[in-house]
Amino acid sequence: MTKKKAHKPGSATIAMNKRARHEYFIEDEIEAGISLQGWEVKSLRAGKANIADSYVTFRDGEAFLFGATITPLNVASSHVVCEPMRTRKLLMNRRELDKLFGKVNRDGYTVVALSMYWKNAWTKIKIGLAKGKQDHDKRDNAKDREWAVDKARIMKNAKR
């Protein structure tokens, strides 16, 4: 048996969408592959990606990532036209696609990008099945977060 190669030091995360968890209730998370061009892979290795405003759309039974920005490098090949806001195809199983498509159409969910990361030599994207939050939900989350910090402080001082 061969051993798996050890993970290289450093973070495997390329880009995060921190605002998604603030704006939406994330019901389910799914890992998907992403179809990229050569210059995009080079830019991702340099960390030049932004998925803050990206979401998933469905066309012809396939899923596409819309709104993700991958900034081209200056040293990228000159004979290729680099389009940073290109719509990129997501690679998923038919069962996963059908499940997401049904939830979006019937139940009013949205599919948003949560994070982009390296998995071995492949670029993966974690997408989330999401429902929108209202303002009072966001305030409740902030209140709960503050209470957790206060509770930790009280517990720390109570042991003295």
Side-chain angles (χ1 to χ4, degrees), residues 56-71:
V56 176
T57 58
F58 296 96
R59 266 188 309 212
D60 302 328
E62 295 178 338
F64 294 91
L65 182 67
F66 185 80
T69 306
I70 299 177
T71 307

Side-chain angles (χ1 to χ4, degrees), residues 80-98:
V80 176
V81 177
C82 301
E83 187 182 344
M85 292 286 289
R86 183 174 77 85
T87 302
R88 295 162 182 91
K89 183 178 175 182
L90 295 181
L91 309 172
M92 295 191 297
N93 293 332
R94 175 61 50 196
R95 185 178 293 125
E96 292 173 334
L97 280 169
D98 292 341

Side-chain angles (χ1 to χ4, degrees), residues 45-131:
R45 292 213 184 275
K48 297 188 174 281
N50 183 7
I51 59 169
D53 296 326
S54 61
Y55 57 94
V56 176
T57 58
F58 296 96
R59 266 188 309 212
D60 302 328
E62 295 178 338
F64 294 91
L65 182 67
F66 185 80
T69 306
I70 299 177
T71 307
L73 295 174
N74 303 5
V75 295
S77 180
S78 60
H79 68 279
V80 176
V81 177
C82 301
E83 187 182 344
M85 292 286 289
R86 183 174 77 85
T87 302
R88 295 162 182 91
K89 183 178 175 182
L90 295 181
L91 309 172
M92 295 191 297
N93 293 332
R94 175 61 50 196
R95 185 178 293 125
E96 292 173 334
L97 280 169
D98 292 341
K99 176 183 159 190
L100 288 177
F101 187 71
K103 290 271 189 178
V104 168
N105 282 343
R106 282 192 308 269
D107 302 334
Y109 283 93
T110 303
V111 182
V112 294
L114 301 175
S115 64
M116 186 182 287
Y117 53 92
W118 296 107
K119 188 171 187 181
N120 296 330
W122 304 103
T123 304
K124 299 288 185 175
I125 189 158
K126 186 168 283 193
I127 56 176
L129 194 60
K131 270 234 192 255

Side-chain angles (χ1 to χ4, degrees), residues 27-47:
E27 301 285 328
D28 192 17
E29 294 181 359
I30 296 172
E31 180 182 75
I34 184 167
S35 178
L36 298 172
Q37 295 176 348
W39 67 268
E40 292 172 325
V41 176
K42 286 184 176 183
S43 294
L44 290 179
R45 292 213 184 275

Side-chain angles (χ1 to χ4, degrees), residues 146-160:
E146 289 172 8
W147 169 240
V149 170
D150 290 342
K151 185 168 58 171
R153 187 179 305 122
I154 292 168
M155 295 300 289
K156 180 181 174 186
N157 292 332
K159 292 181 182 179
R160 292 184 181 180

